Amino acid sequence: MLHIPIIRKGKPYKSIDVQRVPHFRTRETFVEISQANTGLISRDLRDQESPRAALEHLSTDELLAMSKQAAEYYMHDTLPVGDESQSPDDYVNQLSATTGMPHVLVRKNMNKIYGVMAEMEKVISGLTRGLDLKIIDQGYGVHEGHEVSFFPRTQSLGVILPSNSPGVHSLWIPSIAMKIPLVLKPGSSEPWSPYRIMQAMIKAGVPAEAFSYYPTDHGGSGAILRTCGRGMFFGDSASVGKYASDPRIELHGTGYSKVVIGEDLIDDWEKYLDIIVKSILENGGRSCINASGVWVPRKGREIAEALAQRMSEVIPRTVDDPQAQIAPFANPDIAARISAIVDQGLTEAGATDVTAKYRPNRIVDLEGATYLLPTIVHCESPEHPLANREFLFPYASVVEANQDSMPEIFGPTLVVTALTEDQKLINRLISSSLVDRLNIGPIPTMQIAWDQPHEGNLFEHLYARRAFQRMAAA
Amino acid sequence: MSATAGTQLQARIKESREKLDAHVREIVEWHFNPETGSPFWLDFAGKLDWDPRKEVRTYDDLDKFGFFQDEWLRGGPVRRWVPKAYSDSPIYVFETGGSTGVPKSRISVNDFRIDYEMFSDTLSDQYFPKGADWLMLGPSGPRRLRLAVEHLAQHRGGICFCVDLDPRWVIKLIKMGEMQMMEKYKQHVIDQAVTILKAHDNIKCMFATPKLLEALCEKVSLKKMGVTGVFCGGTEMTPQFHRFAVEELMEGAYFAPTYGNTLMGLATHKVPEPEDNWAIIYFPPNPRAIIDVVDPDEPSRLVDYGQTGRVRLTTLTKEFFMPRFLERDEAERERPCDQYPWDGVRNVRPFSRLQTSVVEGVY
């Protein structure tokens, strides 16, 4: 049985407590993962200085070169996983086995992770807004004619990871190039990606002690977030809400991402159908940057109908089918629960599952795996309980609302793609604190530019600028 | 195990069973005799169509009482539990649980002292030296733990320093989502413990709950503090915690995990062997308390050795009679061994079927 150990500052540790993760289809144990007890994590994190010192003595240029090299190892090499070896194909198969994600989507996510590692220089430049990287190395320097100085806010970055999509791993990887060690808690069914990224980095020369990897429970996650000076937490609204008032922790909760069409372009909505479909469906609809709402001033029914027709073409396919677009649920009970929530919402007047007429059931089984088929719900009012929901499958509401009430009417939103040339609406979106990431024009919500920080800026999260003056000694 | 050793163990098992049956007869006679028994059990017997003093001859015969209901222990009058023989004695009342609703109460006269004196006999003088002082780091208030640990220290010739933790407040903080406040409260408790340990060189032994032990060891080295023996209990301990405590927290001090509660007393651990793979194996203080592992669906039936089942407690002291109490724990049934020729339990943990309703392991 394949066993994934805990990594304690680069050293593997096999725990007596193990979590057995099943294959999504057979439900038989596929991998055993060592579980870290809370005390072990807290004890390890008493010393965060030595991992930081191991990174500090390397220059940013050296770390960028290692990251570039690690990208190749991650993408193409055989790397260790526990006591065994893992080829890139093994990685795809293993990740798919425990999450149900189709191979084609795993490979797309691999490309995303590869892109961040290979283009780390560009990413860091975007995050630091073109800072001369020597300033990070020596702590001070001249930027755009001004003396500047930056200091690390923390000795390590603690990251509580999800299982929904490997693409999110691209968000924490730059921490190493910024010389901040990582303390990772992998998602319970996706231990693979952080482990492989870590191994690729170590093979490329990053000191192993800069990586800690603690599969653990809620208590252990709490210890990581409590003890690391800076944290990143991926989870649902209820989980991340507990840390809402803690500025040390960057929260990545539900996205509620949306496509908004302005009154000026609404009559041309058909031109944007592909963009909307892509925003809802890409990556199996599992990401927080997938659109879960299409907000329009009118023509909602027509748009919902057209989207439903397009979505009804999506069918479950086996994990190795290159045409696969959606992933099954590793736990079929979760699929049933999500579908029941949608059905419960539909019992309230004012919402229609427009996709329902194109298929007999939302839940379908294929070769022992359970899928939720894409679902488009037309909501007559923004107040309907299904108007602003997000689920772990391609789901979107089409909501009619007065555009003068946007974005306040739809609230906090991770990504807005605004299809409008109405400067008044654009200005409202630009000036709103409710919109985290804004695409103006026909850009799918899923399209990421690596030089554009996503949900907070990692450099600003990890480093602070101090007032600084320097004069040569007389 | 050689054939001779096996035969000797079988003989000791038989002997301990006979001793248990005799003890059952003595305790049933005591609690159901109008001269000595408690109002609760005399009243209970009055409603039966059989006479416990005549019909209960062996431990197995206790099945005739059915299962002890924990509701019987909630609310008063608490004196109904005091055996007539002790009606003039000073009575303690100890509580268990109680984060919501009425807690369960148990009366006591000397049981907590007897239980902890028996436990003292299992502790090594090398790691728990006679005359050394103790630190009690855990819940006091309505619980018996503080008095019991203090008596243990005194019984071994030491003085006990105490730092209190109120688990009911901790549970409330968790339910309110006040995790930062809970952390501050824990640190407040640990800070007091550190101050005491630094100020008193003769403290060499301590009691701590698992969570408080971890938190203490994040702040100080037990070795540097001069602690040589730790008695740990109060909440669930996993094999991984056991290993972590011994390998990383103790720094050469002895780690003595225990299982018990106000209703039963204290089950001590078997010294770990490599083949146990850090499983924590407990044996109850037979014949005063017995731990059975039973089929959850048929709790009058013991599961086979090595099998998992629900923990069932029976307490048989002159102060308290509690037959067949179904605990909110599960475990594997453990075979008798040389040191303890009666049944034990392995890896006790919260009963999985009740897990959603139990707030465990918070202190």
Side-chain angles (χ1 to χ4, degrees):
Chain A
M1 175 65 62
L2 176 58
H3 183 103
I4 299 181
I6 294 162
I7 302 292
R8 306 175 72 180
K9 296 176 193 169
K11 293 189 181 130
Y13 175 94
K14 192 170 179 180
S15 170
I16 295 170
D17 286 349
V18 293
Q19 183 203 1
R20 293 177 179 83
V21 184
H23 189 287
F24 78 93
R25 192 163 43 76
T26 64
R27 309 304 298 162
E28 283 174 13
T29 301
F30 184 80
V31 60
E32 285 185 349
I33 307 174
S34 271
Q35 298 294 297
N37 51 300
T38 305
L40 179 145
I41 297 169
S42 301
R43 192 164 180 83
D44 284 358
L45 295 180
R46 288 195 310 177
D47 168 30
Q48 297 181 39
E49 287 78 22
S50 45
R52 161 91 177 128
L55 284 183
E56 218 174 355
H57 85 266
L58 295 165
S59 71
T60 306
D61 281 343
E62 286 173 310
L63 288 166
L64 290 175
M66 288 174 192
S67 183
K68 204 174 176 64
Q69 184 60 57
E72 302 305 322
Y73 293 147
Y74 166 78
M75 199 69 183
H76 306 296
D77 266 33
T78 292
L79 296 168
V81 57
D83 292 333
E84 298 185 20
S85 298
Q86 182 192 61
S87 69
D89 284 344
D90 292 336
Y91 167 58
V92 170
N93 286 321
Q94 288 161 343
L95 198 155
S96 176
T98 55
T99 64
M101 184 170 263
H103 296 183
V104 63
L105 296 187
V106 177
R107 289 188 193 282
K108 275 186 187 171
N109 280 284
M110 269 180 93
N111 280 325
K112 201 169 169 181
I113 291 169
Y114 170 82
V116 169
M117 291 164 84
E119 300 293 332
M120 189 58 76
E121 191 168 352
K122 210 189 221 180
V123 172
I124 298 290
S125 176
L127 292 171
T128 61
R129 294 179 173 82
L131 197 69
D132 179 350
L133 299 179
K134 287 190 176 57
I135 294 175
I136 299 178
D137 289 338
Q138 61 184 27
Y140 65 91
V142 177
H143 179 61
E144 294 176 347
H146 302 285
E147 291 264 23
V148 292
S149 173
F150 292 90
F151 63 94
R153 297 175 191 265
T154 180
Q155 303 287 313
S156 60
L157 174 67
V159 192
I160 310 304
L161 290 162
S163 295
N164 61 324
S165 172
V168 300
H169 300 303
S170 50
L171 294 176
W172 51 262
I173 296 172
S175 181
I176 290 295
M178 293 183 211
K179 306 187 179 186
I180 303 295
L182 286 161
V183 179
L184 304 171
K185 186 261 165 190
S188 54
S189 57
E190 214 282 79
W192 313 102
S193 299
Y195 198 94
R196 185 168 173 86
I197 293 164
M198 194 168 64
Q199 294 301 334
M201 290 273 199
I202 293 168
K203 185 170 180 182
V206 178
E209 61 193 296
F211 298 95
S212 289
Y213 174 90
Y214 298 115
T216 185
D217 57 14
H218 291 306
S221 298
I224 291 171
L225 292 175
R226 204 167 47 242
T227 320
C228 294
R230 281 289 181 273
M232 211 184 239
F233 184 6
F234 297 83
D236 59 28
S237 300
S239 314
V240 302
K242 282 191 280 189
Y243 294 93
S245 60
D246 191 339
R248 300 176 308 111
I249 301 166
E250 195 175 276
L251 302 176
H252 297 260
T254 321
Y256 301 115
S257 297
K258 293 170 183 75
V259 175
V260 170
I261 308 180
E263 178 61 47
D264 57 326
L265 299 183
I266 193 65
D267 290 322
D268 297 330
W269 64 268
E270 281 165 297
K271 276 168 59 180
Y272 305 114
L273 204 57
D274 284 348
I275 301 291
I276 302 172
V277 168
K278 218 170 181 183
S279 298
I280 298 168
L281 186 59
E282 217 170 73
N283 204 35
R286 286 184 160 209
S287 303
C288 49
I289 52 176
N290 276 114
S292 55
V294 181
W295 288 61
V296 295
R298 56 193 168 83
K299 294 192 179 280
R301 270 190 201 281
E302 289 170 57
I303 295 169
E305 188 66 39
L307 283 173
Q309 279 185 32
R310 289 284 296 274
M311 291 295 175
S312 65
E313 293 163 11
V314 178
I315 55 167
R317 295 173 188 273
T318 54
V319 286
D320 54 354
D321 187 330
Q323 303 298 316
Q325 289 174 286
I326 53 172
F329 282 77
N331 181 347
D333 293 342
I334 293 176
R337 256 182 272 154
I338 290 174
S339 190
I341 293 170
V342 176
D343 287 337
Q344 175 64 31
L346 290 168
T347 60
E348 194 158 317
T352 314
D353 178 352
V354 191
T355 27
K357 63 184 168 198
Y358 296 104
R359 49 170 165 72
N361 291 306
R362 188 179 303 120
I363 299 186
V364 289
D365 284 343
L366 175 70
E367 294 184 0
T370 304
Y371 296 76
L372 282 178
L373 293 181
T375 296
I376 301 294
V377 170
H378 174 255
C379 292
E380 291 169 14
S381 143
E383 279 80 40
H384 193 279
L386 288 177
N388 205 5
R389 293 300 302 263
E390 176 177 308
F391 300 108
L392 197 61
F393 79 110
Y395 167 92
S397 54
V398 180
V399 186
E400 286 181 30
N402 184 332
Q403 76 171 37
D404 291 340
S405 64
M406 296 181 201
E408 289 77 12
I409 190 81
F410 54 64
T413 301
L414 178 57
V415 188
V416 169
T417 284
L419 299 167
T420 182
E421 288 166 5
D422 179 343
Q423 201 55 45
K424 200 173 151 200
L425 177 57
I426 291 172
N427 288 345
R428 287 178 67 82
L429 293 168
I430 283 177
S431 62
S432 175
S433 62
L434 297 168
V435 178
D436 196 90
R437 191 179 182 103
L438 180 60
N439 300 328
I440 296 172
I443 303 165
T445 57
M446 296 291 288
Q447 190 169 311
I448 299 289
W450 294 121
D451 59 351
Q452 297 291 322
H454 169 72
E455 268 190 309
N457 180 319
L458 187 63
F459 179 66
E460 289 168 7
H461 191 49
L462 300 178
Y463 281 83
R465 184 179 167 182
R466 64 159 67 87
F468 185 72
Q469 298 176 92
R470 193 165 55 109
M471 188 181 282
Chain B
M1 187 185 288
S2 69
T4 314
T7 309
Q8 284 173 349
L9 177 58
Q10 286 306 316
R12 296 193 59 215
I13 292 169
K14 187 166 177 280
E15 187 188 330
S16 84
R17 186 63 187 214
E18 286 166 358
K19 198 172 147 193
L20 172 62
D21 288 342
H23 185 72
V24 166
R25 290 191 290 275
E26 182 189 356
I27 293 301
V28 169
E29 169 61 30
W30 175 269
H31 283 280
F32 292 90
N33 185 325
E35 300 297 316
T36 53
S38 66
F40 178 87
W41 286 116
L42 292 174
D43 181 54
F44 187 91
K47 293 172 189 161
L48 298 175
D49 58 1
W50 53 279
D51 182 353
R53 294 161 74 191
K54 286 184 183 157
E55 297 196 27
V56 176
R57 311 308 298 160
T58 67
Y59 177 72
D60 290 343
D61 291 338
L62 292 176
D63 285 347
K64 293 178 181 173
F65 288 104
F67 297 101
F68 189 95
Q69 303 298 307
D70 65 357
E71 288 307 311
W72 295 341
L73 296 173
R74 296 184 202 275
V78 75
R79 281 210 172 262
R80 67 190 166 145
W81 293 100
V82 178
K84 281 188 183 169
Y86 297 127
S87 57
D88 294 330
S89 304
I91 303 294
Y92 293 91
V93 62
F94 299 121
E95 292 178 3
T96 179
S99 56
T100 55
V102 180
K104 294 192 283 279
S105 309
R106 175 195 169 170
I107 64 98
S108 185
V109 182
N110 267 316
D111 267 357
F112 69 94
R113 297 190 183 97
I114 298 167
D115 288 342
Y116 276 68
E117 285 172 21
M118 286 175 70
F119 173 61
S120 175
D121 293 342
T122 71
L123 297 178
S124 115
D125 289 352
Q126 181 190 349
Y127 295 105
F128 297 89
K130 296 272 174 62
D133 292 339
W134 282 65
L135 172 65
M136 204 300 283
L137 179 56
S140 54
R143 288 155 202 274
R144 75 175 201 164
L145 194 61
R146 180 252 158 100
L147 287 175
V149 175
E150 191 162 34
H151 180 74
L152 173 69
Q154 292 168 352
H155 180 69
R156 297 179 71 83
I159 293 170
C160 187
F161 294 82
C162 300
V163 176
D164 180 38
L165 175 134
D166 178 358
R168 294 177 186 174
W169 178 234
V170 173
I171 291 169
K172 274 196 176 164
L173 288 173
I174 291 171
K175 286 184 175 171
M176 290 188 291
E178 297 277 0
M179 305 310 284
Q180 286 182 347
M181 189 56 73
M182 187 198 76
E183 196 55 32
K184 281 183 185 170
Y185 181 50
K186 187 169 81 177
Q187 287 314 320
H188 165 64
V189 171
I190 295 302
D191 288 348
Q192 294 173 72
V194 171
T195 303
I196 296 285
L197 284 172
K198 284 184 175 169
H200 298 280
D201 291 346
N202 196 40
I203 297 177
K204 294 186 168 33
C205 313
M206 62 180 287
F207 167 84
T209 64
K211 296 279 181 207
L212 290 178
L213 178 64
E214 280 179 353
L216 178 69
C217 293
E218 281 174 34
K219 294 273 178 167
V220 292
S221 151
L222 293 181
K223 191 175 185 178
K224 283 185 187 161
M225 292 292 111
V227 173
T228 56
V230 176
F231 144 42
C232 190
T235 56
E236 181 200 1
M237 275 173 270
T238 63
Q240 172 59 25
F241 175 81
H242 186 197
R243 171 192 176 190
F244 171 66
V246 172
E247 288 184 345
E248 304 193 33
L249 302 182
M250 289 299 103
E251 301 173 286
Y254 189 82
F255 182 70
T258 56
Y259 172 63
N261 57 39
T262 302
L263 302 181
M264 179 199 80
L266 197 62
T268 190
H269 72 291
K270 170 180 157 286
V271 176
E273 310 277 353
E275 61 268 26
D276 294 333
N277 194 28
W278 299 102
I280 314 180
I281 299 164
Y282 299 112
F283 287 91
N286 190 296
R288 286 170 56 82
I290 291 88
I291 306 179
D292 296 312
V293 182
V294 297
D295 180 344
D297 296 318
E298 195 187 333
S300 53
R301 189 184 73 77
L302 297 183
V303 299
D304 292 336
Y305 288 113
Q307 298 300 302
T308 304
R310 187 168 182 179
V311 169
R312 192 184 70 183
L313 307 177
T314 294
T315 303
L316 300 167
T317 74
K318 286 190 170 177
E319 294 174 20
F320 191 56
F321 175 58
M322 186 186 72
R324 310 301 191 237
F325 174 77
L326 293 171
E327 184 55 286
R328 294 180 153 216
D329 288 326
E330 66 185 20
E332 282 75 48
R333 184 181 174 197
E334 184 71 15
R335 286 182 186 282
C337 63
D338 280 337
Q339 197 180 353
Y340 304 102
W342 52 81
D343 275 12
V345 283
R346 180 183 282 249
N347 293 338
V348 181
R349 56 212 178 255
F351 184 39
S352 48
R353 292 192 197 173
L354 295 176
Q355 233 170 9
T356 50
S357 60
V358 178
V359 179
E360 235 295 15
V362 293
Y363 51 90

